[in-house]
Amino acid sequence: MTRLLRSRPRRAGLLLTAVACAAAAATPAVAEPTPVYRDASRPVADRVEDLLSRMSLQDKIGQMTQAEREAADPAAAAEAGIGSILSGGGSAPTPNTAESWADMYDAYQRAALNTPLGIPILYGVDAVHGHNNVHGATIFPHNIGLGAANDPELVERIGRATAEEVAGTGIDWDFAPCLCVARNDRWGRTYESFGETPERPTAMASLVTGLQGSSLDGPASVMATAKHYIGDGGTTGGEDQGNTEIDEAELRAVHLPPFKAAVERGVGSVMISFSSWNGVKMHVHDYLINDVLKGELGFTGLVVSDWQGIDKIDGEEGFTAAEVRDSINAGLDMIMVPYDYQEFMDLLRQEVEAGRVPMSRIDDANRRILTKKFELGLFENPFTDRSFTPTVGSPEHRELARQAVRESQVLLKNEGGVLPLPKDSGKIFVAGKNADDIGNQSGGWTISWQGESGPITPGTTILEGIRQAVAPGTEVTYDRDGNGIDSSYSAAIAVVGETPYAEGEGDRPEGMGLDEEDRATLAKLQESGVPVIVVMVSGRPLDIAAELPNWDALVAAWLPGTEGAGVADVLFGDHEPTGTLPMTWMVSADQQPINEGDGKSPLFPYGYGLTY
Ligand code: GLC
């Protein structure tokens, strides 16, 4: 209201004893009433209906479209009316800093808000073990290690810490947790699973609560994603994006419980699996999506495709009108296109106008998407809460990650109680390609999609942790290949295993043993006659039964992330080993799949773990 100050005309003789300021409101122009969808005091359902009533078909199709940031900058995204943006693995702004991410996010929101209806975007990333695309972020152990820790409360705290780092860069949607039940360790995504039975993935759905908080519009809350629905971990041969050939009873008993738990925790989104169930692609599985997920489980959030997931329906490159139509009609609400978004929007419009996708389906998808945008508070608080930006890679989060590393270590062999090592051991020899390599100990989905060896982000290597743990007088020698080892050393620690990979790149249809380099390093250490302690840094159990007799101790460290000191905490006894196997450990690769209760004889059974 504009106040005009007017002084009264003086009248002769009549002197106003006090100048009365007449604050007179300017005659108010007839102000537009605030649209219901912009009124935060109104119920979300009312806001959704009001907004929907103002949207064109094109607006609605835009909300169902998710594009990769590299395909659509803020102006292009706003111009096209795209409702969601993502960063695929490793897709980061330059420089790759938390502030730069926040600036990028805010630019997309600013552009979106400048459109006629001003609908904010959703921005999704794979923060699957911390905010792993961001340089300097805390990298937590991958899920297989958290499954070994078997501590749902810890996992919830990790979710909260991850949410703070994600929110500190503006991002409002996390494509996590993967609730897959990995049945065949040949699968390249075994390390994304909390366990081979539904028990631990169901319990670790607590990550959803950590990420989303008590309400989606709470401080640092981000929308979680239960993925990949359903049966991605059960494919024949452990083939990534393969075919899960089991009956419905087994699908329901083994793969459904973690999603049920996530829905009960209010998970905001579900991502569909690339895989098939008995030959039918999940991306067009009307029964499992519409009837089971949305019907039986009562999931009211949004269902998103995987990356180019609809392209893969017919097995040909690219997507067709039929693939667009069939996936949307099967219950997908948003399509992670991610590049040819205009083509997708045109085809979907064509299918709606031809009556092959009912308007009711379009409206249902929009209701689900818009409900999440309102619940996240994006209309009221569309920009980054910069108070959380300093949490990225913070000492507190790194300490939490170190605790998770400690709890995830599984002691599988300890001949003669060689562990814990005394801190004043005199001379300790450390060897192996994974001893002094942040990239190797973090695994895939770290800074880049596939991850990579080397000092890719700040952290503490396992070797650095060992150096920090020993007493001042203890000499720690490192040689990657074991050169220089001799009987003067009190013990040799060999940190071996796998180098980074993600998804199908990590499938191991052939051998699952150690590589040549590791075997040569171990042989050199064994020749010295010094006790050999093996620390296995890998995304799965490996085929090592033949070598095990030559080792005095074996610790499964999994993929610990940036806080490698947590491994030394266990090796030197500051923390008793408490981890237990989330996956059965095979005697040999030809036993795969090998799982609890299948009657096969493993090297170490599911749930096995020693302590001191
Ligand atoms: C990938 C993965 C999925 C991820 C998505 C976006 O292919 O299957 O887990 O969330 O694409 O990066």
Side-chain angles (χ1 to χ4, degrees):
M1 181 160 47
T2 307
R3 290 186 181 282
L4 295 179
L5 289 182
R6 293 193 184 112
S7 57
R8 291 175 185 280
R10 289 179 184 284
R11 292 190 178 89
L14 177 61
L15 180 63
L16 294 174
T17 53
V19 174
C21 283
T27 307
V30 177
E32 272 288 308
T34 303
V36 168
Y37 82 93
R38 289 201 172 284
D39 181 348
S41 71
R42 300 295 294 265
V44 165
D46 294 354
R47 302 178 75 183
V48 168
E49 291 311 314
D50 176 63
L51 180 50
L52 211 53
S53 70
R54 300 166 186 267
M55 293 168 73
S56 66
L57 172 58
Q58 195 60 31
D59 292 329
K60 295 175 181 177
I61 289 172
Q63 288 302 306
M64 298 169 69
T65 306
Q66 184 178 63
E68 159 58 55
R69 57 174 280 277
E70 290 169 338
D73 67 18
E79 174 65 28
I82 291 167
S84 181
I85 297 290
L86 86 146
S87 280
S91 176
T94 304
N96 183 359
T97 63
E99 293 73 16
S100 172
W101 276 83
D103 295 344
M104 173 185 72
Y105 176 85
D106 289 353
Y108 276 105
Q109 290 298 25
R110 204 167 296 116
L113 298 178
N114 282 334
T115 57
L117 291 172
I119 303 173
I121 64 153
L122 281 170
Y123 195 121
V125 296
D126 296 278
V128 294
H129 62 142
H131 199 358
N132 41 254
N133 286 319
V134 180
H135 188 268
T138 308
I139 305 299
F140 291 90
H142 267 297
N143 289 354
I144 193 169
L146 299 181
N150 201 16
D151 182 345
E153 189 274 333
L154 171 72
V155 167
E156 183 172 334
R157 287 168 58 206
I158 289 173
R160 180 61 357 210
T162 301
E164 288 177 358
E165 298 200 18
V166 169
T169 63
I171 307 300
D172 46 56
W173 185 5
D174 187 1
F175 302 137
C178 183
L179 294 176
C180 47
V181 181
R183 303 291 288 167
N184 189 318
D185 303 346
R186 293 182 180 281
W187 188 35
R189 307 193 76 164
T190 295
Y191 67 78
E192 296 188 63
S193 174
F194 291 108
E196 67 181 25
T197 74
E199 174 197 23
R200 297 190 188 193
T202 299
M204 303 319 150
S206 60
L207 191 82
V208 170
T209 304
L211 286 169
Q212 298 192 160
S214 53
S215 73
L216 277 177
D217 63 356
S221 291
V222 299
M223 182 164 71
T225 309
K227 73 182 187 182
H228 309 83
Y229 186 82
I230 184 174
D232 51 347
T235 61
T236 303
E239 181 190 3
D240 188 44
Q241 306 187 18
N243 190 18
T244 299
E245 298 171 281
I246 56 179
D247 64 23
E248 182 166 352
E250 185 175 347
L251 186 77
R252 286 176 171 270
V254 173
H255 299 282
L256 192 60
F259 288 92
K260 186 170 184 295
V263 170
E264 287 166 355
R265 285 178 178 270
V267 70
S269 66
V270 168
M271 185 181 292
I272 300 301
S273 176
F274 286 125
S275 58
S276 303
W277 179 44
N278 295 331
V280 178
K281 286 281 185 185
M282 277 308 305
H283 273 74
V284 285
H285 216 292
D286 171 31
Y287 167 67
L288 288 175
I289 300 170
N290 282 326
D291 296 350
V292 177
L293 177 62
K294 293 184 172 179
E296 198 178 309
L297 267 59
F299 177 61
T300 56
L302 70 93
V303 175
V304 64
S305 80
D306 203 334
W307 179 280
Q308 297 178 324
I310 66 170
D311 301 30
K312 302 168 190 277
I313 293 167
D314 64 5
E316 303 294 328
E317 280 295 306
F319 51 81
T320 62
E323 288 173 315
V324 169
R325 167 181 73 233
D326 294 345
S327 56
I328 298 292
N329 286 337
L332 276 78
D333 302 307
M334 183 184 288
I335 303 299
M336 186 186 295
V337 182
Y339 296 114
D340 307 316
Y341 58 84
Q342 198 57 57
E343 181 188 353
F344 166 74
M345 295 167 81
D346 294 345
L347 285 174
L348 181 49
R349 183 183 189 104
Q350 165 196 297
E351 291 306 298
V352 174
E353 289 171 345
R356 293 187 288 264
V357 173
M359 198 61 213
S360 59
R361 178 74 272 273
I362 299 296
D363 286 341
D364 173 49
N366 272 264
R367 285 191 178 94
R368 290 168 179 269
I369 293 163
L370 296 174
T371 295
K372 292 307 160 194
K373 292 189 175 185
F374 283 117
E375 287 177 350
L376 279 161
L378 292 178
F379 284 81
E380 285 70 49
N381 300 299
F383 301 115
T384 305
D385 180 344
R386 303 267 175 158
S387 70
F388 288 102
T389 309
T391 72
V392 177
S394 67
E396 297 75 24
H397 288 175
R398 289 181 186 275
E399 187 47 43
L400 177 62
R402 181 171 176 171
Q403 178 189 342
V405 173
R406 285 195 289 265
E407 292 192 29
S408 62
Q409 302 306 297
V410 182
L411 180 61
L412 294 171
K413 180 178 181 182
N414 191 17
E415 200 69 34
V418 67
L419 289 177
L421 287 170
K423 292 184 178 180
D424 55 354
S425 300
K427 291 172 69 179
I428 292 176
F429 198 97
V430 181
K433 67 174 183 282
N434 291 347
D436 196 28
D437 192 311
I438 286 284
N440 287 2
Q441 70 188 51
S442 297
W445 295 104
T446 312
I447 308 303
S448 66
W449 174 45
Q450 290 292 313
E452 62 182 309
S453 303
I456 59 173
T457 194
T460 305
T461 67
I462 292 167
L463 172 64
E464 287 163 348
I466 292 168
R467 291 193 192 285
Q468 291 164 9
V470 298
T474 299
E475 179 190 322
V476 176
T477 302
Y478 173 62
D479 181 275
R480 176 176 170 136
D481 304 319
N483 296 318
I485 181 71
D486 61 35
S487 58
S488 68
Y489 289 90
S490 56
I493 302 171
V495 189
V496 297
E498 294 185 306
T499 51
Y501 55 82
E503 302 192 45
E505 307 291 321
D507 282 5
R508 291 187 72 166
E510 307 298 332
M512 299 177 72
L514 296 175
D515 64 21
E516 197 41 52
E517 175 181 1
D518 285 346
R519 284 208 289 273
T521 302
L522 285 162
K524 203 162 291 178
L525 300 180
Q526 285 151 209
E527 280 162 22
S528 70
V530 165
V532 174
I533 292 111
V534 174
V535 176
M536 190 67 72
V537 172
S538 65
R540 63 189 126 204
L542 295 180
D543 184 342
I544 48 89
E547 291 99 332
L548 184 62
N550 303 319
W551 305 343
D552 296 273
L554 171 60
V555 174
W558 314 111
L559 298 170
T562 50
E563 305 316 306
V567 177
D569 291 339
V570 170
L571 295 179
F572 291 92
D574 288 332
H575 178 86
E576 301 243 322
T578 54
T580 56
L581 287 182
M583 310 279 175
T584 299
W585 200 293
M586 69 195 119
V587 169
S588 70
D590 56 25
Q591 285 187 305
Q592 292 297 340
I594 180 170
N595 297 293
E596 186 202 31
D598 65 6
K600 297 180 182 177
S601 302
L603 182 62
F604 301 111
Y606 172 83
Y608 182 85
L610 303 173
T611 191
Y612 294 148

